[in-house]
Amino acid sequence: MIWNETVECMSREEMRKLQSIRLKNVVERAYHNTPFYRAKMQEMGITPDDIASIDDITKLPFTVKQDLRGNYPFGLMAVPMSEVVRLHASSGTTGKPIVVGYTRKDLSIWSEVVARCLAACGVTRNDAVQVSYGYGLFTGGLGLHNGIENLGGTVIPMSSGNTQKQIQIMHDFGAKVLACTPSYALFLAEAIKDSGIPREEFQLKTGVFGAEPWTENMRKDIEEKLGIKAYDIYGLTEIIGPGVGSECEHQDGTHLWEDHFFPELIDPVTLQPVEPGQPGELVFTTITKEGMPMIRYRTRDLTTLNYEPCACGRTAVRMSKILGRSDDMLIIRGVNVFPSQVESVILEMEEFEPHYLLVVDRVNNTDTLEVQVELRAEFYTDEMSKMIALKKKIAHNLQSVLGISPAIKIVEPRSIERSQGKAKRVIDNRKLI
Ligand code: ADP
Ligand code: ZN
């Protein structure tokens, strides 16, 4: 179902018009109400009068995470605090948390965009949705929560953790949809298997997973283990939280709700727009947000954009799966390595569990990378030669994808820590030196 056909299926021309009006409006507000934005625009010698349409967006300055930290906690608000009805903070995957504030209207936009995502993933008002994203300052739990209520579905507000109870409630309440991080979905799948409750006794049919990068191979694995269809939902605290976009039933990219969040793709080095179809860093401008508008916010997320209409009927632009954050990119002996590349290799090998850890270090001034993988119990053997052959096989597969040869450590089943929120895939000991 299409939740808001008028905007989700709007012609590109109409969309540009709407975006132009909204951009002018948000720039006015940011300029007059937020000293930070005014100073930045003045530095570039521009005023809101220089913004006549969405094409002028490239005249505006970028905003980066450091700007949010530098104005901690409320320096970037564009309304008096009396208008702010909710605060959230990022989970701080990459450092000190950042704070965002929502007005009443921002919250209603948020529940609108999350409802669009859920509808695109096939969730209906007849479905009970178990929200196993964390509730609290993290945007995941409450973001999904309000969107489900807006859609008319039934929320089961579990939050993350307490895995045994998650399973019991999912079973007893007949949850049809699970919303959590893909890594927690895997953990739940493992725990369901251990619980001994037959899978047929669960009514789960759909997963709405996001908040961290995950590969197509991970999707297949989760779908098989839970017997569901798994959809990707995307968002970030700075822009609104979950609900910036999601996949539709065709799963050919993530539709972005560009009537609220205007996307650009730039080359992270030159900061210039990339050629159409080329990968780049995603930049968003929140063209309707009141509380804390973001002007050309650099997400650090790397992706591509596709403006062709989708088979589902939506015209909303689609982004490809996030390759990773530029923050997550490891440079090992000069070679760029993303955890998602390692993930895609491991998940293609039946001998290993879908849990892994990258340990990076520097020994004698040389970077080292160790990939820890868990052997599936049924592949365990005390025949040394077989284990050595297996190690060689995975080393070869990783080498051909990464372009470097990591050390491999095969560890016992269940020894890599399971995540209840965002998984930690990398330990970089070089930073401690
Ligand atoms: P933090 O920056 O502390 O992790 P957020 O919860 O705001 O806090 O995280 C947002 C980030 O999470 C995004 O910028 C992106 O890197 C990642 N993310 C969110 N959803 C997805 C998704 N569906 N696929 C890949 N990455 C995602
Ligand atoms: Zn679509």
Side-chain angles (χ1 to χ4, degrees):
M1 185 189 106
I2 299 181
W3 181 252
N4 187 338
E5 206 168 326
T6 319
V7 282
E8 292 179 58
C9 305
M10 201 173 243
S11 74
R12 296 242 47 96
E13 199 192 334
E14 286 289 308
M15 180 57 76
R16 299 288 289 183
K17 274 193 207 152
L18 181 65
Q19 288 166 334
S20 295
I21 296 166
R22 291 181 168 179
L23 178 68
K24 281 198 288 189
N25 183 290
V26 75
V27 170
E28 282 281 349
R29 285 187 286 112
Y31 186 85
H32 292 293
N33 303 341
T34 311
F36 166 82
Y37 283 126
R38 184 162 55 246
K40 268 187 129 178
M41 285 193 239
Q42 282 169 343
E43 229 170 75
M44 295 183 85
I46 56 166
T47 70
D49 292 340
D50 292 303
I51 307 301
S53 82
I54 195 75
D55 297 327
D56 295 321
I57 197 161
T58 53
K59 294 179 182 166
L60 292 164
F62 290 105
T63 307
V64 294
K65 204 173 208 121
Q66 197 48 44
D67 295 326
L68 281 94
R69 295 205 174 112
N71 289 281
Y72 179 88
F74 305 140
L76 292 186
M77 300 291 174
V79 295
M81 287 306 284
S82 55
E83 298 291 314
V84 172
V85 298
R86 173 95 69 82
L87 295 170
H88 276 287
S90 89
S91 48
T93 316
T94 55
K96 202 173 122 183
I98 51 97
V99 183
V100 292
Y102 303 74
T103 64
R104 221 175 268 288
K105 187 174 158 218
D106 294 337
L107 287 185
S108 91
I109 288 172
W110 195 8
S111 64
E112 151 78 19
V113 291
V114 173
R116 284 186 206 174
C117 293
L118 292 164
C121 301
V123 182
T124 74
R125 55 197 321 262
N126 300 318
D127 295 330
V129 186
Q130 181 152 334
V131 180
S132 306
Y133 284 112
Y135 278 64
L137 283 175
F138 175 52
T139 51
L142 285 161
L144 261 295
H145 186 108
N146 292 335
I148 297 159
E149 287 188 352
N150 187 24
L151 179 88
T154 307
V155 191
I156 308 176
M158 286 304 294
S159 194
S160 58
N162 208 344
T163 304
Q164 291 315 315
K165 188 151 185 202
Q166 299 267 359
I167 293 169
Q168 186 200 336
I169 297 283
M170 186 189 290
H171 174 266
D172 297 354
F173 292 8
K176 296 254 179 58
V177 183
L178 171 66
C180 63
T181 59
S183 51
Y184 194 45
L186 267 184
F187 185 11
L188 282 168
E190 220 169 49
I192 287 175
K193 203 169 160 207
D194 292 348
S195 75
I197 309 174
R199 215 174 69 184
E200 309 74 66
E201 287 189 17
F202 291 85
Q203 295 188 39
L204 211 58
K205 58 172 181 142
T206 305
V208 181
F209 303 135
E212 64 183 6
W214 52 311
T215 56
E216 282 302 330
N217 287 337
M218 178 73 92
R219 188 203 312 261
K220 273 187 236 138
D221 198 60
I222 296 173
E223 288 186 333
E224 271 168 30
K225 287 187 172 145
L226 282 172
I228 60 171
K229 193 160 159 74
Y231 291 88
D232 200 349
I233 183 169
Y234 171 82
L236 63 163
T237 311
E238 293 85 338
I239 300 310
I240 200 133
V244 172
S246 79
E247 288 179 325
C248 64
E249 70 270 27
H250 293 276
Q251 300 196 312
D252 188 14
T254 291
H255 287 286
L256 298 175
W257 311 128
E258 47 173 324
D259 52 319
H260 295 294
F261 321 113
F262 181 79
E264 297 173 80
L265 271 194
I266 61 161
D267 177 323
V269 178
T270 65
L271 306 184
Q272 294 305 308
V274 297
E275 294 296 320
Q278 290 303 301
E281 178 184 336
L282 192 56
V283 171
F284 281 111
T285 300
T286 61
I287 51 180
T288 51
K289 215 180 347 154
E290 294 180 335
M292 208 171 123
M294 283 288 117
I295 307 275
R296 301 193 86 197
Y297 181 72
R298 291 184 57 186
T299 64
R300 301 269 167 194
D301 291 331
L302 304 171
T303 186
T304 57
L305 291 178
N306 173 3
Y307 287 89
E308 292 303 312
C310 181
C312 69
R314 291 177 183 83
T315 51
V317 61
R318 281 171 288 159
M319 72 169 187
S320 58
K321 246 182 172 342
I322 304 272
L323 172 63
R325 298 184 180 202
S326 52
D327 305 342
D328 288 343
M329 189 180 80
L330 295 164
I331 304 180
I332 315 268
R333 285 172 251 140
V335 177
N336 299 347
V337 172
F338 281 100
S340 58
Q341 294 173 298
V342 174
E343 179 174 306
S344 69
V345 171
I346 292 169
L347 275 103
E348 255 166 32
M349 298 184 65
E350 56 169 0
E351 296 92 339
F352 299 107
E353 294 285 353
H355 302 278
Y356 61 96
L357 191 63
L358 278 63
V359 184
V360 187
D361 215 330
R362 184 165 287 147
V363 180
N364 298 330
N365 291 319
T366 307
D367 297 330
T368 59
L369 169 65
E370 178 184 85
V371 175
Q372 297 187 2
V373 280
E374 272 183 22
L375 190 64
R376 288 214 155 119
E378 56 268 39
F379 288 94
Y380 179 78
T381 155
D382 47 14
E383 263 182 73
M384 274 306 268
S385 61
K386 281 201 176 142
M387 294 307 284
I388 291 169
L390 185 55
K391 221 165 159 173
K392 270 200 184 141
K393 183 167 145 197
I394 184 170
H396 172 265
N397 292 356
L398 283 168
Q399 208 280 336
S400 61
V401 169
L402 304 179
I404 54 164
S405 300
I408 308 292
K409 187 172 176 187
I410 299 181
V411 298
E412 281 181 22
R414 312 249 169 146
S415 56
I416 293 173
E417 198 186 333
R418 303 299 190 246
S419 143
Q420 310 207 338
K422 297 186 189 227
K424 186 166 171 51
R425 308 284 193 199
V426 179
I427 297 178
D428 194 342
N429 293 319
R430 293 177 303 184
K431 288 180 187 146
L432 303 175
I433 299 166

